[in-house]
């Protein structure tokens, strides 16, 4: 059971917008620790998609955006494309038990 | 250009000890603020953080696996080694090593609790 909670799956048609939520608690997101997002294409290693809640690394399209509020965060993908079909993971830092890097359970995005 | 690559056995028997090596290039693990972490992913399941080691040899472990893990570094060889004892079939997973993302500051705080570059991963199967 993951420390951060994500929906198991989301879907959308090409061109549409989807949002993936990530819910934490007072010892991680709610404590002020930022949320980071990774995209994992089938058969590949995770790739950093968003860091610091909303910062896109160089090369990541602006169709991807992130936000954080309270104990939750969200990843939004606009203008869905077939190549966006992947698993998405949120990640943060948890200050309990000596400090841990924690991940969400992952969300499978299906482009219809 | 930062690259990381994991190496180690693909098959281990239950109760055996697993030793994985992360060989990297493009950065130095003696540079202030840098760390390298290990993350695993059982087939079809989520990512799980295991351990990490900082440039100053400070170490952090997953609370649930702490008793079984040891992480070390060899700065001269650009390698980080993860040792996991008493392997069990539930430890079957792809094991990744990853580089710490640069520190950034926003909203009055500076943080660097994320990974910006990942290795390709190595699948370890635990079976008799």
């Amino acid at each position: 059971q993951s420390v951060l909670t994500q929906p198991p799956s989301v879907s959308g048609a090409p061109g549409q917008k989807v949002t993936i939520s990530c819910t934490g608690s007072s010892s991680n997101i709610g404590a002020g620790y930022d949320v980071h997002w990774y995209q994992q294409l089938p058969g590949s290693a995770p790739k950093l998609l968003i860091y610091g809640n909303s910062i896109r690394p160089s090369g990541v399209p602006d169709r991807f955006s992130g936000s954080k509020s309270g104990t939750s965060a969200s990843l939004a993908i606009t203008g869905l494309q077939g190549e966006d079909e992947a698993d998405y993971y949120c990640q943060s830092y948890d200050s309990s038990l000596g400090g841990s890097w924690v991940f969400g359970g992952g969300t499978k995005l299906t482009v219809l | 250009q930062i690259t990381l690559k994991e190496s180690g056995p693909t098959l281990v028997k239950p109760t055996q000890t697993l030793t994985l090596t992360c060989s990297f290039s493009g950065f130095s693990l003696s540079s202030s603020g840098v760390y390298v972490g290990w993350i695993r992913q059982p087939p079809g399941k989520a990512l799980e953080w295991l351990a990490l080691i900082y440039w100053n040899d400070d170490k952090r472990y997953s609370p649930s696996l702490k008793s079984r893990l040891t992480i070390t570094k060899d700065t001269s060889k650009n390698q980080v080694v993860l040792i996991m004892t008493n392997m069990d079939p539930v430890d079957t997973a792809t094991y990744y090593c990853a580089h710490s993302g640069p520190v950034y500051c926003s909203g009055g705080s500076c943080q660097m609790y994320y990974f910006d570059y990942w290795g390709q991963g190595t699948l370890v199967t635990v079976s008799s």
Side-chain angles (χ1 to χ4, degrees):
Chain A
Q1 190 169 355
S2 302
V3 173
L4 304 178
T5 301
Q6 299 179 235
S9 63
V10 297
S11 62
Q16 286 189 332
K17 172 184 177 180
V18 296
T19 300
I20 299 172
S21 62
C22 175
T23 302
S25 67
S26 59
S27 62
N28 42 69
I29 301 174
Y33 296 107
D34 288 345
V35 177
H36 321 289
W37 293 89
Y38 302 87
Q39 177 192 59
Q40 187 175 33
L41 297 171
S44 297
K47 167 194 167 187
L48 180 64
L49 195 64
I50 297 281
Y51 68 98
N53 304 320
S54 59
I55 306 170
R56 285 186 308 275
S58 175
V60 174
D62 59 6
R63 301 187 295 104
F64 296 90
S65 63
S67 63
K68 170 189 161 182
S69 177
T71 58
S72 296
S74 292
L75 172 70
I77 309 172
T78 58
L80 267 181
Q81 299 180 3
E83 64 201 48
D84 299 333
E85 189 159 291
D87 293 324
Y88 293 84
Y89 291 91
C90 62
Q91 179 253 310
S92 186
Y93 178 83
D94 192 290
S95 59
S96 63
L97 299 176
S100 300
W101 279 245
V102 293
F103 286 92
T107 298
K108 169 66 177 177
L109 167 63
T110 300
V111 181
L112 302 171
Chain B
Q1 177 194 1
I2 292 175
T3 63
L4 305 100
K5 187 173 184 179
E6 307 85 353
S7 60
T10 58
L11 179 66
V12 297
K13 291 180 168 48
T15 75
Q16 286 188 336
T17 294
L18 171 69
T19 299
L20 293 173
T21 300
C22 175
S23 301
F24 57 85
S25 63
F27 68 95
S28 172
L29 198 39
S30 59
S31 298
S32 178
V34 175
Y35 60 81
V36 170
W38 285 93
I39 302 99
R40 71 178 178 179
Q41 184 175 37
K45 296 190 177 181
L47 300 168
E48 177 185 21
W49 171 70
L50 301 176
L52 60 84
I53 188 165
Y54 283 92
W55 85 101
N56 60 359
D57 211 39
D58 190 12
K59 301 162 187 177
R60 295 286 184 269
Y61 295 101
S62 166
S64 62
L65 292 166
K66 184 175 183 177
S67 64
R68 299 174 53 205
L69 296 174
T70 302
I71 190 170
T72 62
K73 64 181 175 69
D74 187 329
T75 305
S76 64
K77 292 183 178 179
N78 282 350
Q79 291 181 336
V80 171
V81 173
L82 181 73
I83 297 171
M84 180 179 289
T85 61
N86 195 23
M87 294 292 284
D88 182 273
V90 300
D91 297 313
T92 294
T94 296
Y95 288 75
Y96 297 99
C97 61
H99 170 268
S100 58
V103 65
Y104 63 91
C105 301
S106 67
S109 74
C110 297
Q111 300 188 28
M112 56 177 299
Y113 303 113
Y114 68 108
F115 304 100
D116 61 351
Y117 291 94
W118 295 60
Q120 64 189 27
T122 185
L123 176 61
V124 178
T125 301
V126 184
S127 174
S128 55

